[in-house]
Structures are given as structure tokens and as C-alpha cells.
């Protein structure tokens, strides 16, 4: 039998050439055959996720080669890579990676939208999967209304809706209690045995090794042992350990979503945006409150919750499903977010709102945008200051903002200029204010990231996207 994956003398180094260089994979060679259930096992930090990401084409090994069927994964074009993710492999993550503002069903059918499947057809296939995984009744709920185990079943349904041959799962039960974990592992087992899917599952928990046909043991980036499991599935013991969800980085996400349109990317990176916003405003929140806050923020950024409801939920006690801020803090957050949203729309608009004498919407110069954004920053970030910055300080701040908006400098560079003493040509703000100014500018930029300017996607909401796609489909078929 020909292997699906062939990895040969594969190495992978993070931060190559820098002082924090770290070799995460060392001469890894392995083959994975059709219909196998393979487990990559080892302690945290041993390189399991890195290895899975190389197989998924998200990290490029050097030196070394990784082939899927007869194709070199690292030589795929962007288009091939997108196809690979749409059709050949499906991924399941520890933290589910669901879009918290979309319903359970919409999450499941999301990969089909990118294939331009008709809505009725996709919803039907999606509903069948939900039925199969025992969550059909929850189809119209938001993911956050479901338990962890149920959320992971949404993740699996989404992963298999395009019917990939291969499933790559990174600690898929790492966040689940033992009963839910067993249930979810049972689904993988079933997909492997009944649907003949090839499964590569990453775990650090020895209790689950019985599910694999073959286990690769990793340590410090090296495969130290390969074991064939003769007693497959004899016992599935309890898992007690819970691990924290890993955080996603924008760049990793962007790499994952290469080749998609700005609108699609915008929806997919919305949780990331919400997270950045939430962290900016966080003070002494517990994990559950933070989660509620994050979900709420996402819905607000997508404008599926209005300002009144946003305020109301911010202020509502945690025991009643709110975030539990006092009224003053809730108002402050709401107006700050509103401010950034407006600033972001402003900064990303290409032309002026009003026409000039010739009836033309002129280009809005970045210099002018920088002046207005700076004025806004002075209002929100210096509210507690007794003395306002002097004229020259403001001028320097405007210049730094201008350079950041026109992408002449990076985020840390802008921070450095704002923080640097006035005598040394900096703006000379204290460290705390410099931080808050620079974060505020970044949020303004992040929020507009991936949003198509002409189509004002955020205003249109997802229903319109669906119907647009359906119309297009109908146009194409009629
Ligand atoms: P595992 O999934 O087994 O926990 P990872 O593959 O995530 O391990 O990481 C392997 C090693 O590489 C770890 O020591 C980790 O700290 C390091 N590492 C992972 N991602 C990065 C990164 N983006 N930059 C630098 N080092 C990283
Ligand atoms: Mg990992």
C-alpha cells in the first residue's frame, strides 16, 4: 500500500538565526498509510503541533521533505494549498475555533460557503451531521450555549462536511471532561472504522493511546519510539487533566486562510479581533466572565448586537449571563469601543464623505487622518492628565501616527517613538500612556483589517452574504 504522507529527515526551527532560535523538530521521518489511526504522543512542548502543522502545510520544514500523496507539501502554490484544505484534509482544534457569533448550523456549513454550495443543500447536509452527532436540536443556538463536548462535535462536523479523506486533530479532547472526551474520541474511532478516514491525532494524554493503530512517541522534537497497538481500544480510561486553550496569532490565521477573499477572512479572524479588544479593556475578570465578554465583543464588532444591549450585558451580573461590570465601567467601555469603531471606519475610508465643488469625493489624505486620529487619542488617553501635551509634543505624536497609518513604521517602532524622551526627539509620554496610545492605534488598524472598503461588509451581515451567494448560484444555474 502506498503511504498518504511521507516525511523524510524533516527539521523545523523557530526564529532561525535569532538568539531565541529553537529547533522544534529534528530529523523526523515517518509514513502514514490510508485508513490508519495514528497518534502523535509526547509531553507539552515536544513538537507535536509543529509536526501536525507541517503536515497541514502551515509550516514549511527546512531542511527535509513532506509529501502528501505525490505532492511536496511545501511546494504547493497558494491555490493548491487552499484546495488541499478544502478537500483533502480537515482540521480539528483543542479550542474548537468556532465562530461565536454564528449559529451552530452556520458554523458547520461554513466550509461549504467557500465552495459556493446552495444554501438549502448545505443546510441539509449540515443538519444531517448535527443529527448524527446528537446536536440537531441545538442547530439555531450559538456555540457558547453548548457544552464543551457539544462544541467539539460542531468542530468535527465542520471538519468533515466537505468529506476530506484525512483528519488532523490537535489535542481535540484537551479541554473536555472525561465523559465528553470519550464521546468525542468515539466519533474519531467511528470515522476511522466506518468511513475509512485517515486520522492523525495529537495528544499528551497516555489514556488515549488505545485508540491508535500506531503511536509515534516524541520528545524534544525527536521520534524516540514507534509502537504498533495490538490491543487497540481495549480500554479507554478516564482523563483528568485539563489544559488551557492555545492562543491564535493573526499571522498563523492568515496563513491558514490564504487565498480566501477579504470578506471570508474577516469573518474568520473576527474572534481574534474580539480577543484583542477584550484584552485591552480587561480588569480582574475571571475566565468565564472573560469568555462572555469576548463573545459579546465579537457580536458587537460584527454589529449583531446594538449599543444598548451591549451596555446592558456588560452591566448585567455574571450570574445572570452578563459580564458584571459596574455601570460606570460599562459605559466607559461601550463609548471607548464605539470610538475605536468610528475611528477605524474613518481611517479606512479612502475618500471624503462630502463632495467638493466639482461634485467629486476627494481622496482623504493620510496626513489629515493622522491629525484627526491624534486629536481623538488626546481625548481618550489623556483624560486623567492634569497638563495636556504641548504643541510640539502633539506634532510629534501626529507624525508618529501618520507613519504608522502609512505603514512606514511597525507597532513597536511607534511605541518606541511615543515613549522616547522629548529631549531625544521622542514624544516623551510616560510608559503607561505611550502604551495606551499605541494600543488604541493598533485596535483601530486591526478592526479594519480584512474589511472590504467598498462593500461595507460589516454593515451587511452574514444573511446578506448568504443570499448574495445563493443569487449568484441561481444566476449561474438559470
Ligand atoms: P507541542 O504541541 O508538543 O506542545 P509545539 O509543537 O507547539 O509543541 O512546540 C514545540 C516547541 O517549539 C516548544 O518548545 C515551543 O516552545 C516551541 N515553539 C512553538 N511555537 C513557537 C513559535 N511560534 N516561536 C518559537 N518557538 C515556538
Ligand atoms: Mg501543541
Amino acid at each position: 500500500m502506498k503511504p498518504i504522507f511521507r516525511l523524510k529527515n524533516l527539521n523545523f526551527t523557530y526564529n532561525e538565526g535569532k538568539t531565541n532560535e529553537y529547533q522544534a523538530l529534528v530529523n523526523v521521518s515517518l509514513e502514514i498509510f490510508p485508513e490508519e489511526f495514528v497518534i502523535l504522543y509526547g509531553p507539552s512542548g515536544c513538537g507535536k503541533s509543529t509536526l501536525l502543522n507541517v503536515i497541514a502545510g502551515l509550516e514549511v520544514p527546512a531542511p527535509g521533505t513532506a509529501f502528501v500523496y505525490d505532492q511536496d507539501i511545501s511546494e504547493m502554490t497558494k491555490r493548491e494549498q487552499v484546495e488541499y484544505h478544502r478537500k483533502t484534509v480537515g482540521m480539528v482544534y483543542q479550542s474548537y475555533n468556532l465562530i461565536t457569533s454564528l449559529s451552530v448550523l452556520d458554523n458547520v456549513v461554513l466550509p461549504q460557503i467557500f465552495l459556493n454550495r446552495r444554501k438549502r443543500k448545505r443546510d441539509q447536509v449540515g443538519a444531517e451531521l448535527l443529527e448524527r452527532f446528537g446536536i440537531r436540536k441545538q442547530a439555531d443556538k450559538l456555540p457558547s450555549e453548548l457544552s464543551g463536548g457539544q462544541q467539539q462535535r460542531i468542530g468535527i462536523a465542520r471538519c468533515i462536511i466537505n468529506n476530506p479523506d484525512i483528519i488532523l486533530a490537535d489535542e481535540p479532547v484537551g479541554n473536555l471532561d472525561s465523559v465528553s472526551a470519550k464521546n468525542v474520541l468515539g466519533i474519531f474511532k467511528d470515522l476511522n472504522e466506518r468511513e475509512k478516514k485517515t486520522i492523525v491525532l495529537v495528544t499528551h494524554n497516555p489514556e488515549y493511546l488505545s485508540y491508535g493503530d500506531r503511536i509515534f512517541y516524541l520528545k524534544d522534537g525527536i521520534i524516540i519510539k514507534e509502537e504498533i497497538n495490538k490491543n487497540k481500544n481495549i480500554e479507554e480510561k478516564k482523563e483528568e487533566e485539563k489544559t488551557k486553550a492555545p492562543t491564535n496569532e493573526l499571522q498563523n490565521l492568515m496563513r491558514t486562510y490564504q487565498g480566501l477573499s477579504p470578506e471570508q477572512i474577516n469573518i474568520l479572524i473576527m474572534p481574534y479581533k474580539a480577543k484583542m479588544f477584550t484584552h485591552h479593556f480587561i480588569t480582574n475578570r475571571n475566565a468565564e466572565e472573560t469568555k462572555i465578554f469576548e463573545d459579546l465583543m465579537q457580536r458587537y464588532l460584527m454589529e449583531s448586537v446594538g449599543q444598548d444591549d451591549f451596555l446592558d450585558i456588560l452591566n448585567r451580573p455574571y450570574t445572570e449571563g452578563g459580564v458584571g461590570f459596574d455601570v460606570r465601567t460599562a459605559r466607559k467601555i461601550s463609548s471607548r469601543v464605539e470610538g475605536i469603531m468610528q475611528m477605524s471606519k474613518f481611517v479606512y475610508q479612502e475618500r471624503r464623505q462630502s463632495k467638493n465643488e466639482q461634485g467629486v469625493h476627494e481622496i482623504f489624505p493620510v496626513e489629515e487622518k493622522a491629525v484627526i486620529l491624534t486629536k481623538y487619542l488626546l481625548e481618550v488617553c489623556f483624560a486623567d492628565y492634569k497638563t495636556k501635551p504641548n504643541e510640539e509634543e502633539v506634532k510629534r505624536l501626529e507624525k508618529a501616527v501618520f507613519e504608522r497609518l502609512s505603514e512606514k513604521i511597525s507597532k513597536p517602532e511607534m511605541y518606541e517613538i511615543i515613549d522616547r524622551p522629548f529631549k531625544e526627539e521622542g514624544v516623551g509620554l510616560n510608559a503607561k500612556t505611550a502604551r495606551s496610545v499605541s494600543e488604541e492605534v493598533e485596535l483601530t488598524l486591526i478592526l479594519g483589517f480584512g474589511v472590504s472598503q467598498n462593500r461595507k461588509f460589516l454593515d451587511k451581515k452574514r444573511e446578506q452574504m448568504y443570499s448574495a451567494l445563493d443569487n449568484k448560484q441561481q444566476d449561474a444555474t438559470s
Side-chain angles (χ1 to χ4, degrees), residues 250-411:
L250 186 58
Q251 281 189 340
N252 268 336
L253 288 174
M254 294 308 289
R255 221 170 343 160
T256 313
Y257 302 138
Q258 265 173 15
L260 302 182
S261 76
E263 287 84 357
Q264 292 165 345
I265 291 172
N266 183 40
I267 292 192
L268 292 168
I269 63 178
M270 199 42 94
Y272 174 80
K273 292 184 182 180
K275 182 176 280 166
M276 297 308 285
F277 267 73
T278 309
H279 278 262
H280 184 56
F281 292 109
I282 256 163
T283 45
N284 295 328
R285 299 285 103 187
N286 69 33
E288 288 90 356
E289 288 167 324
T290 305
K291 185 79 182 67
I292 296 173
F293 193 10
E294 231 173 73
D295 290 346
L296 175 66
M297 187 66 83
Q298 186 172 330
R299 282 157 63 200
Y300 190 52
L301 294 180
M302 290 194 89
E303 298 182 20
S304 65
V305 167
Q307 199 174 9
D308 291 346
D309 286 337
F310 182 63
L311 246 176
D312 187 53
I313 301 172
L314 280 180
N315 180 227
R316 199 181 300 164
Y318 163 60
T319 47
E320 294 167 29
V323 189
F325 283 113
D326 61 67
V327 181
R328 230 184 109 227
T329 315
R331 287 220 184 97
K332 197 168 152 198
I333 291 172
S334 159
S335 87
R336 292 280 301 279
V337 177
E338 186 67 22
I340 300 173
M341 285 166 89
Q342 281 174 10
M343 270 301 129
S344 178
K345 277 185 185 160
F346 167 75
V347 162
Y348 277 91
Q349 81 192 22
E350 225 170 308
R351 292 172 183 277
R352 292 183 196 278
Q353 297 265 298
S354 53
K355 293 175 183 169
N356 67 7
E357 288 159 2
Q358 282 82 43
V360 177
H361 295 278
E362 284 174 10
I363 299 268
F364 216 131
V366 181
E367 288 87 343
E368 254 182 77
K369 288 181 183 170
V371 171
I372 292 171
L373 181 56
T374 303
K375 207 176 260 172
Y376 163 81
L377 294 170
L378 291 174
E379 265 170 39
V380 297
C381 302
F382 293 79
D384 304 331
Y385 264 50
K386 285 191 195 75
T387 51
K388 300 284 174 201
N390 67 36
E391 211 175 301
E392 180 56 27
E393 285 168 333
V394 172
K395 234 192 212 156
R396 289 184 190 177
L397 183 56
E398 278 169 1
K399 181 160 177 273
V401 170
F402 167 73
E403 288 180 342
R404 183 71 189 112
L405 290 187
S406 38
E407 287 180 59
K408 291 195 175 104
I409 55 175
S410 65
K411 173 180 176 178

Side-chain angles (χ1 to χ4, degrees), residues 44-45 48-49 52-53 91-98 147-153 155-156 158 168-177 181 184 188 200-205 208 239 241-248 291:
S44 170
K48 306 180 294 293
S49 295
L52 201 72
N53 287 340
M91 299 198 71
V92 178
Y93 309 87
Q94 176 172 9
S95 52
Y96 329 130
N97 281 8
L98 302 172
S147 70
Q150 290 174 323
Q151 292 191 48
Q152 191 55 294
R153 281 180 262 156
I156 298 174
R158 176 187 58 188
L168 306 178
D170 194 347
E171 305 267 8
V173 297
N175 283 350
L176 304 179
D177 63 82
V184 164
F188 284 111
V200 184
L201 184 137
V202 163
T203 185
H204 67 278
N205 192 331
Y208 305 142
E239 103 66 345
E241 206 182 338
K242 278 190 192 171
T243 47
K244 277 194 71 190
T247 49
N248 279 317
K291 185 79 182 67

Side-chain angles (χ1 to χ4, degrees), residues 14-15 22 24 43-50:
Y14 286 105
N15 305 314
Y22 186 83
S44 170
C46 71
K48 306 180 294 293
S49 295
T50 307

Side-chain angles (χ1 to χ4, degrees), residues 123-137:
D123 284 353
Q124 188 194 332
V125 178
E128 279 163 16
L129 283 173
L130 292 180
E131 175 80 49
R132 169 171 173 193
F133 296 150
I135 44 175
R136 174 128 191 202
K137 281 207 187 89

